[in-house]
Every structure is written in structure tokens, then in C-alpha cells.
Amino acid sequence: MINEMRYSIHTSFARRGVLLLASVFVLTIVGRLVTITNAALFCPGWPVCIPTDRIGYIKLFHLILVGMASLVMIEVWRKAWREQRHHPSILPLTTVTGVLFFGQAFVGAIEVTSHYPTHLVVLHGLTAVALWVSLAMLVFVSGTLKEDGVADYQFGWRQRVKDFVILSKPVIVLLLLVTTYGGLVAGGKAFPSASLTLWTLLGGALAAGGSSALNQYIDRELDKNMQRTSKRPLADGRLTPAEGLSYGLALCLLSYYLMAGYVNLLAALLSLAGIFYYVFFYSVWLKKATVQNIVIGGGAGAIPPMVGWAAATGNLSLGAWILFAIIFMWTPPHFWALAIVRLKDYERAGVPMLPVVEGEEKTRKQILIYTVELIAVTLLLPIFNLAGTIYLVSALVLGAFLLYAAWNVWRVGGNKTAWIMYRWSSMYLAFIFLALMVDAVV
């Protein structure tokens, strides 16, 4: 056992892991010296600085070590993604370690330029702890390797890029960004600055894309049984489970760092809550546990406009909660219409969607009921004087079209009317948020 461990520790990946551990250890000690001696005051600037006193060279040395450790981290990351793409632990651990490493450097830089806000100081400390835990686990697991892996890409880089994009569910991400921006504009009653728009939407896209990737990682075996999802990258085997998990975790972590650093704490926490809601509450538990999976799980997709509202205002007032309620009520009729069309898929996969458990007739009735309730909720904004005439007229017209589609689902039935309802409901959500934005700025 001892000889086997000694042999495995001497794989090239394990050696790089130990080197990374040593680099971060030295970096941590010097960083602590910078804090104790206040060396940053005598060498201002980032990522380089010019010492104004001898003690400032401690800060300069720290920055040099950051650069050297970064190169080691990049090499470990490159080797893991090239040679360990099938390993269920090493690739995710390496990816998370890399994001935490650069995330800590990012937070440290933002702290300096923003005069050390409390939430970033706390995040910096938590990231340091998480980094050490992740790095220790990575070194331990890499020590169990008996030999180095080999690059065995089955597809070219174009296909791999395409598959990672598919893993993010870009169409769904785009719709969520529309609602996020709607909350951003409605909350601020004006078009936001370019920088706030960029960081809010980029953070939101990473959160939504990462959550979608983790959802596909969790559902990879289930997806094989459904015609609609059987060709997804993980279900089809074009990407490994470790790649899907690593990609999803990386995007989710990056989204939080960007939101916390460039937007505000409330928006970052809401985005994080949406990730946990969708990944753990819905994907892991609700989806296969209850016929109310879509009803309760709809809260995850309803959080993005609240993120936008919080980004613009720093708080959550009544308007933000009404936007949440709109998407919460929109989700069941939208996905139940799809469930009718894909009834056989959900039956084979064992997912207790409403038409599978209660039958198509009851589902059609519920679609109509929820559509009426949705339209009523959209009218709360003008009732509470949170939206004007443009929004009111748009909500009534769009609601009439959606109600007509839901009425056809109930009275006529069949896959064709359900598919129309599914498509119209997607456009309905986009257009009603567009109307809200126009109303807010006119």
C-alpha cells in the first residue's frame, strides 16, 4: 500500500498538485505579512506597484508570487482538462480550485479599489478557507492516481465549444436575461448604465448557464430516456459527466464573484439563491418527487427579475415581488403545455408531470386556470400604480392572446394546440417584460 502510494504521488499531475499547494502556502504566508506590516500602504497599486519604502517590497514580492502561483494553477488546470476529463473528482476539484484561486485574487483587487466593503472582506476570508479545503482534497485525490491520463478527445474543438454552449441552454438563458433586464429597468425607472447592465446580465447569464449545466449533469441518465433530451451532450456521451459538473460549478462560482464585486451584495445573494433553488430544490428533489414539481420549482425561474431590481435599487420593494409572482404563475401553464406534447417522454423517464399522473384533461383545465390567474397578477402593477398606460394596454392585449391559446387547449385539446400554447407563452413573457421596460422609461 505504501509503495503504491509512493509510486502514484510521482505522477506528473500529482507533482504539479504538490507544487501548487506549496505555492499557495508561501503566498498565504507572505500575504499575511503584508496585512500585519501594512506593506500595501507603501506599495500602492495592482497588479503591479512601486515601493515607496523598504517595507513596500513585501507587497511587491507578494504580487510576484501571485503571478508565479497563477502560472502553476493554469498548468494544473490545463493538465486536468486535457488528461483527467473522465475522472469524477479530479477535474471538478481542479476547476473549483482554479476559480477559487483567481476569485480570491479578484476579490482582493476589488477590495483595494472599493475601500474594503464588509461583504467583500468576508468573501475574501471565506474564499481563502474554501481554497485550502479544495486544494487539500485535490492533492489527496491526485495522490491516488496510478498513472497519468491521456488526451482522448473524441470530437474537435468546434463541436466541444458547441456542446458546452448547449449545456448552458442558451435559449432559456436569453429569456431569463430579458426578465432580468426588465427588473433592472423597472426598478430604476430608467435605462441603467452600461457597466451595471454588463455585469448584471453577465453574472445572470453565468448563473443561469451554470445552473442549466448542473441540471443536465443531474439528469444525464434520465435524459437518455426522452426523445427531446437524448441528444444532449452529457446524455449522448459527447461530454463526460466530470466535464459537465466542472463547467456548471465554474460558471456558478464566477457569477457570484462578478455579482458581489461589480453589482451589489443583495443581487449576488439572490442569484445564488436561484442557483440553489433550481439545482438542489428542483433538480435533485422536486422534479421526481411530486406532481407539483413545476408549480413549486417555478420559483427558481422567477428570481432573475428580482436580481435585476436589486441591482438597480439595492432593495426589494413590492414591484419586485409582483414580477416574481408573474413568472411564478407563468411557469406551470408554459411547461404543462410542453408536458402534454412530450407525454410519452415523461412517462418513459418516470417524471411525475401533471399529465402523466392526473391525465391530459385535468392538465388542460389547470392550464386555463393558471393562465387566468397569471393575467390577474400582471394587472397588479398598474393597480398599485407601479406601471402606466403602456404596460396596462400591453398586458391586456397580450393576456387576451394567451387566454385564447389556453382556451383552445382546454376546449380543443391535442398536441397542436398545446404546442401553440407553449410557443405563445414564451413570446408572451418576453413581450410583457418589454412592455414593462418601455413603460418605465417613457
Side-chain angles (χ1 to χ4, degrees):
M1 179 70 70
I2 295 176
N3 291 335
E4 182 180 351
M5 181 62 69
R6 285 179 177 175
Y7 169 77
S8 62
I9 286 177
H10 287 86
T11 61
S12 62
F13 186 85
R15 288 197 300 271
R16 285 168 172 78
V18 172
L19 178 60
L20 178 62
L21 179 67
S23 300
V24 174
F25 179 72
V26 175
L27 185 62
T28 301
I29 292 176
V30 177
R32 184 59 181 164
L33 285 175
V34 171
T35 302
I36 294 173
T37 61
N38 289 320
L41 298 176
F42 302 94
C43 193
W46 192 93
V48 295
C49 68
I50 299 177
T52 58
D53 189 270
R54 279 186 295 182
I55 200 171
Y57 282 96
I58 300 177
K59 167 72 179 299
L60 179 61
F61 183 50
H62 180 258
L63 292 176
I64 294 172
L65 286 176
V66 169
M68 296 172 62
S70 297
L71 294 177
V72 178
M73 183 70 252
I74 291 172
E75 171 58 18
V76 172
W77 183 89
R78 183 199 67 81
K79 196 170 182 63
W81 275 90
R82 181 176 173 81
E83 301 174 3
Q84 302 296 332
R85 56 189 296 263
H86 292 280
H87 200 288
S89 301
I90 286 182
L91 187 60
L93 281 172
T94 303
T95 303
V96 168
T97 299
V99 175
L100 292 173
F101 177 87
F102 290 108
Q104 188 177 27
F106 167 76
V107 174
I110 296 296
E111 278 184 303
V112 173
T113 58
S114 56
H115 306 292
Y116 300 94
T118 302
H119 74 278
L120 290 183
V121 173
V122 173
L123 179 59
H124 194 261
L126 291 176
T127 300
V129 173
L131 173 60
W132 273 107
V133 172
S134 177
L135 184 54
M137 292 175 64
L138 174 61
V139 172
F140 174 78
V141 174
S142 65
T144 66
L145 288 173
K146 296 180 180 179
E147 58 183 5
D148 280 312
V150 294
D152 61 342
Y153 300 118
Q154 187 177 356
F155 303 97
W157 69 268
R158 285 186 177 86
Q159 181 63 49
R160 285 177 59 76
V161 170
K162 181 180 178 181
D163 285 336
F164 278 114
V165 172
I166 293 173
L167 206 60
S168 302
K169 298 182 181 178
V171 175
I172 294 177
V173 170
L174 182 61
L175 185 59
L176 292 177
L177 290 183
V178 170
T179 65
T180 303
Y181 192 63
L184 195 59
V185 175
K189 297 295 182 183
F191 287 118
S193 65
S195 61
L196 182 59
T197 299
L198 170 65
W199 296 119
T200 303
L201 295 187
L202 179 57
L206 291 172
S211 299
S212 296
L214 293 176
N215 169 261
Q216 290 185 56
Y217 168 77
I218 294 166
D219 287 346
R220 62 190 185 279
E221 295 299 326
L222 182 151
D223 285 343
K224 294 177 182 179
N225 300 316
M226 300 177 66
Q227 182 181 2
R228 181 174 66 92
T229 58
S230 62
K231 295 302 180 182
R232 285 177 173 175
L234 295 180
D236 195 42
R238 300 193 303 276
L239 295 178
T240 68
E243 287 176 319
L245 177 60
S246 302
Y247 179 70
L249 290 173
L251 294 192
C252 291
L253 285 171
L254 286 171
S255 72
Y256 186 81
Y257 282 118
L258 290 181
M259 284 283 193
Y262 289 130
V263 185
N264 60 51
L265 178 60
L266 179 58
L269 291 176
L270 284 169
S271 181
L272 186 63
I275 293 171
F276 274 92
Y277 198 131
Y278 183 67
V279 174
F280 295 102
F281 196 51
Y282 172 71
S283 299
V284 174
W285 178 50
L286 281 175
K287 186 171 183 177
K288 301 175 185 177
T290 172
V291 71
Q292 296 297 314
N293 48 16
I294 285 299
V295 177
I296 306 172
I303 290 178
M306 301 180 75
V307 173
W309 191 286
T313 66
N315 60 65
L316 293 177
S317 56
L318 178 61
W321 290 104
I322 293 177
L323 295 184
F324 175 91
I326 288 174
I327 300 182
F328 188 85
M329 299 304 298
W330 167 87
T331 303
H334 174 73
F335 282 102
W336 282 337
L338 177 64
I340 291 176
V341 177
R342 299 293 184 179
L343 177 61
K344 298 299 182 182
D345 268 358
Y346 286 112
E347 283 181 341
R348 283 194 300 270
V351 179
M353 295 294 285
L354 186 62
V356 174
V357 178
E358 302 290 346
E360 183 179 332
E361 183 178 352
K362 182 173 182 179
T363 304
R364 298 203 313 265
K365 182 179 180 181
Q366 288 298 311
I367 287 175
L368 179 60
I369 292 173
Y370 268 86
T371 300
V372 173
E373 293 172 345
L374 166 63
I375 295 170
V377 171
T378 63
L379 299 179
L380 291 177
L381 287 173
I383 288 176
F384 286 100
N385 200 30
L386 296 171
T389 305
I390 294 176
Y391 172 81
L392 175 60
V393 173
S394 300
L396 291 173
V397 172
L398 291 169
F401 276 100
L402 190 65
L403 184 60
Y404 174 73
W407 178 268
N408 277 339
V409 170
W410 180 52
R411 297 294 296 176
V412 179
N415 285 358
K416 183 177 180 180
T417 57
W419 182 249
I420 290 173
M421 176 66 187
Y422 174 73
R423 296 295 299 273
W424 281 22
S425 59
S426 296
M427 293 185 289
Y428 168 86
L429 188 65
F431 279 117
I432 200 167
F433 270 83
L434 177 62
L436 178 65
M437 286 185 275
V438 173
D439 185 88
V441 299
V442 172

